[in-house]
Amino acid sequence: MRKNICMVLLLGMCLALAGCGGEAAPTEHEQMEQMEQQLTALQAELDELKASMAEGYAPGEVTEENSGTTPQAPDPHPITVIPPAPDPYGVFDEKAMRSAISDVVKRIDSVVPAGSINDQRAQYLELDRELELLEDELDYYQDVAERDFRNGDITFREYRDIVSALDELENKLEKAENALERTFKVLD
């Protein structure tokens, strides 16, 4: 990205300096030809850069292909590949998610505020935290489904089915949260 920006700035500077010369101004046709040549050269450079990145090495890196040539100066801005973050929840398992939500809903439906105000607050916060964790997990799965769809890893139909199931589960969580707030008389 930095190289692309630098190339565009270099092209702009070249064009600006070309206009400052003492010679007669080139015709519009000549300018277009020059710009097309420069654009072709920049496109070839960009294609070479993309190809080198696809092969898994950074420009300037010594590889088997270029080890017989004069080593290039190290890139002052090396490309850093960031490994993907580990999957915190694993693969979406609708059955397991339904079961987890059902368990929390049953606990919320059967809870009776008991003890002191602090005890009731602790009861509420514990169940509310479980709901939040499940909501976070559903949001994560929705993000993964969207990413997979955008990358072409799943079809639109698969994406739609996953999102539909996640929306249904999210609605159940919302109803459970409302029931919890009513039970503990929490105004939200």
Side-chain angles (χ1 to χ4, degrees):
M1 183 68 175
R2 287 183 183 171
K3 283 193 174 194
N4 291 344
I5 293 171
C6 290
M7 285 188 251
V8 170
L9 290 174
L10 180 62
L11 177 62
M13 288 176 46
C14 289
L15 292 175
L17 291 175
C20 295
E23 303 173 4
T27 65
E28 199 172 295
H29 179 69
E30 291 172 339
Q31 287 179 339
M32 288 296 291
E33 285 180 3
Q34 285 179 338
M35 289 175 56
E36 286 176 358
Q37 290 171 354
Q38 291 173 342
L39 182 61
T40 304
L42 288 173
Q43 186 63 41
E45 219 176 300
L46 180 61
D47 292 341
E48 181 182 322
L49 179 62
K50 286 180 180 177
S52 68
M53 290 175 63
E55 292 173 6
Y57 66 91
E61 181 178 346
V62 178
T63 64
E64 292 177 16
E65 291 83 25
N66 69 7
S67 62
T69 62
T70 305
Q72 300 173 359
D75 190 353
H77 305 288
I79 298 170
T80 305
V81 178
I82 300 172
D87 189 356
Y89 299 109
V91 178
F92 176 59
D93 182 358
E94 185 177 350
K95 186 177 180 181
M97 199 69 198
R98 285 186 186 281
S99 176
I101 291 173
S102 178
D103 290 346
V104 172
V105 168
K106 286 178 187 174
R107 288 182 51 214
I108 289 173
D109 288 343
S110 65
V111 72
V112 176
S116 69
I117 296 292
N118 287 335
D119 293 339
Q120 291 178 21
R121 181 177 182 270
Q123 281 179 302
Y124 171 80
L125 290 175
E126 178 185 341
L127 291 169
D128 186 56
R129 180 67 181 146
E130 287 183 44
L131 288 173
E132 285 179 19
L133 290 173
L134 289 170
E135 285 176 24
D136 290 347
E137 192 169 347
L138 289 176
D139 289 342
Y140 171 79
Y141 289 135
Q142 188 150 3
D143 291 345
V144 169
E146 185 175 339
R147 181 198 66 208
D148 289 348
F149 174 65
R150 288 181 186 272
N151 290 339
D153 297 336
I154 60 174
T155 65
F156 177 73
R157 174 174 274 163
E158 291 170 319
Y159 172 71
R160 185 188 62 202
D161 292 344
I162 291 170
V163 169
S164 176
L166 291 170
D167 285 344
E168 180 185 336
L169 294 171
E170 197 168 317
N171 289 339
K172 286 184 180 185
L173 283 178
E174 192 171 318
K175 288 178 183 178
E177 184 175 11
N178 290 339
L180 180 64
E181 290 171 353
R182 276 191 309 274
T183 301
F184 284 90
K185 295 177 178 60
V186 174
L187 301 175
D188 187 28

